[in-house]
Amino acid sequence: MYKYLLMLGLAAGTAAHGQERPQHPQPPYPYYSEDVTFDNTKDGFKMAGTFTRPEAAGKYPAVILVSGSGPQDRDSDIFGHKSFLVLADHLTRNGIAVLRYDDRGTNKSGGEMKGSDITGFTRDAQAAMQYLRSRPDVDAKKAGIIGHSEGGAIGQIMASEDPGVAFLVSLAGPGVDGATLIMSQTEAILRLYQLTDTIIQMQLGYQRAMMDAIVQEKDTAALRARIMRNASKQYNENPNLKAVQPEEFFVRAVSSQYMSPEYLSIVRFDPKPYFAGIKCPVLALNGDKDIQVVSSVHLAGWKNGVKQAEIRELPGLNHLFQKCNSCQVSEYKTLTETISPAALDVMSKWIRQTTGLAK
């Protein structure tokens, strides 16, 4: 959910040219890899991705990788870190087939990202799962989901509605409703930047007003008007904003972000109804330095909501499951580690045990 940090003015820039990424695997790979396409028949477009499996012929346990918010390619390239490439490589080397795909409207996948929300992204993931199960080299009864951040919400929906989902791995997936997620995220980020308590409480007040509007207002026109009033109030109470931009520009920019269909669906998402329907094995992971999906808040939600879930808080890891130093969002791009080897090891061992690969 890094995309929406723009509303706090705290999003990081792009990765520096030539930034070292030592975990990125390089071809030739010691396994079978195939670029594939499959149909999202409900929305009428083709998705594109990459399927990998061990080299030897056979039927393998398999998983789809579902990305977080914002347009991401099949490698989940964020600030030069290709986390899904690293994850798929690790899992495939451990006997697990993997399908990763470009988000709708991104890279080689059809459809439109603009105007889409969690419901639409779930249909994309369902199409990916249907394709995965259709392959002769996949054990359809052992096909599961790994979802990162917003992808964890999509995994909840699928696992609760589809009894054929064999397992679910949530990587910093939401354990509480979206408004609580955003409020805890906002506070964690502001405190990490060591702002004064007065400023923190003021910013939390502005954010709470936005969350209340999104949750309470169902009419789009009424919601937009309320969001704009809130933004105008924020502008007029902050001299620093007045010094750098006109009120009209600020209000329009803030309103555009908060009124995004994807953002609205995140805030309005509540995992509780889906938790009740999840019957498959679940592994819920968070880094204890994650300031976007705060582990203490969300893992408690998973623990209370999904009784069979294995809950793991991984020390020293941020939202991208990197070993971090300052652990600010701006640090993501400067770290050389793409995913902690410890996190990779936890996932692969758990999936192997869950699917019967590890005896």
Side-chain angles (χ1 to χ4, degrees):
M1 298 178 182
Y2 69 94
K3 173 184 177 184
Y4 296 104
L5 296 175
L6 291 168
M7 285 182 284
L8 291 173
L10 298 174
T14 57
H17 179 70
Q19 179 72 49
E20 183 184 3
R21 301 289 184 248
Q23 286 179 285
H24 287 183
Q26 301 298 324
Y29 306 121
Y31 48 78
Y32 177 78
S33 179
E34 178 186 358
D35 288 341
V36 300
T37 60
F38 52 93
D39 292 318
N40 177 336
T41 56
K42 293 181 179 178
D43 293 333
F45 56 81
K46 283 189 176 294
M47 306 286 294
T50 299
F51 172 81
T52 57
R53 62 160 171 78
E55 191 68 45
K59 282 183 173 288
Y60 292 94
V63 65
I64 62 169
L65 307 185
V66 185
S67 68
S69 64
Q72 295 180 47
D73 66 13
R74 68 194 68 186
D75 293 333
S76 194
D77 191 335
I78 300 175
F79 307 136
H81 287 287
K82 299 182 178 182
S83 57
F84 277 9
L85 171 64
V86 174
L87 176 54
D89 178 81
H90 175 82
L91 294 175
T92 308
R93 291 171 187 263
N94 279 275
I96 302 155
V98 181
L99 174 62
R100 63 191 197 273
Y101 58 90
D102 300 328
D103 289 348
R104 58 167 62 193
T106 304
N107 198 20
K108 296 182 179 181
S109 282
E112 291 286 339
M113 172 62 66
K114 185 177 181 180
S116 297
D117 60 10
I118 288 177
T119 301
F121 302 139
T122 299
R123 293 194 295 270
D124 298 340
Q126 289 168 335
M129 179 61 78
Q130 183 178 6
Y131 169 76
L132 189 69
R133 288 170 174 164
S134 74
R135 292 188 60 102
D137 45 6
V138 164
D139 186 340
K141 294 182 179 179
K142 296 181 179 179
I145 304 163
I146 297 178
H148 177 248
S149 197
E150 183 184 46
I154 292 167
Q156 293 168 23
I157 296 170
M158 291 178 62
S160 68
E161 295 178 350
D162 181 355
V165 172
F167 59 88
L168 170 62
V169 179
S170 167
L171 299 177
V176 297
D177 65 88
T180 302
L181 182 156
I182 298 296
M183 291 303 299
S184 60
Q185 175 189 101
T186 302
E187 182 170 6
I189 292 170
L190 294 173
R191 292 199 181 282
L192 191 63
Y193 278 80
Q194 299 183 330
L195 302 177
T196 67
D197 194 60
T198 298
I199 293 176
I200 290 172
Q201 294 307 316
M202 180 177 63
Q203 293 297 327
L204 288 175
Y206 296 141
Q207 189 71 285
R208 171 51 65 190
M210 294 297 195
M211 295 302 100
D212 288 346
I214 292 171
V215 172
Q216 295 166 7
E217 296 286 358
K218 305 306 179 186
D219 178 78
T220 300
L223 174 59
R224 186 180 300 277
R226 188 166 165 182
I227 292 290
M228 293 180 73
R229 288 196 301 271
N230 289 345
S232 183
K233 178 176 184 292
Q234 181 177 354
Y235 180 87
N236 285 293
E237 291 179 356
N238 288 270
N240 291 338
L241 289 174
K242 294 181 179 182
V244 296
Q245 58 188 310
E247 180 177 359
E248 180 182 1
F249 178 84
F250 176 79
V251 171
R252 184 170 64 248
V254 170
S255 300
S256 176
Q257 290 283 347
Y258 278 102
M259 290 299 295
S260 157
E262 183 179 17
Y263 187 77
L264 294 177
S265 71
I266 289 171
V267 174
R268 291 168 174 166
F269 181 80
D270 186 354
K272 287 181 182 177
Y274 301 107
F275 280 165
I278 297 175
K279 306 303 179 185
C280 66
V282 173
L283 175 65
L285 302 179
N286 265 88
D288 72 346
K289 300 299 184 182
D290 189 341
I291 58 172
Q292 293 180 247
V293 178
V294 179
S295 62
S296 60
V297 173
H298 292 273
L299 290 182
W302 280 96
K303 183 176 181 179
N304 294 330
V306 185
K307 300 305 180 184
Q308 77 277 19
E310 181 176 337
I311 311 296
R312 296 284 296 272
E313 184 180 61
L314 303 180
L317 304 188
N318 63 21
H319 187 60
L320 301 185
F321 290 84
Q322 301 165 304
K323 193 76 172 179
C324 57
N325 299 309
S326 73
C327 304
Q328 296 175 347
V329 176
S330 57
E331 185 186 46
Y332 293 172
K333 69 176 184 287
T334 66
L335 298 171
T336 58
E337 182 175 84
T338 296
I339 306 181
S340 162
L344 293 171
D345 191 53
V346 168
M347 279 185 276
S348 60
K349 285 183 176 178
W350 184 86
I351 293 173
R352 284 178 59 84
Q353 291 171 352
T354 299
T355 59
L357 279 177
K359 300 295 186 181

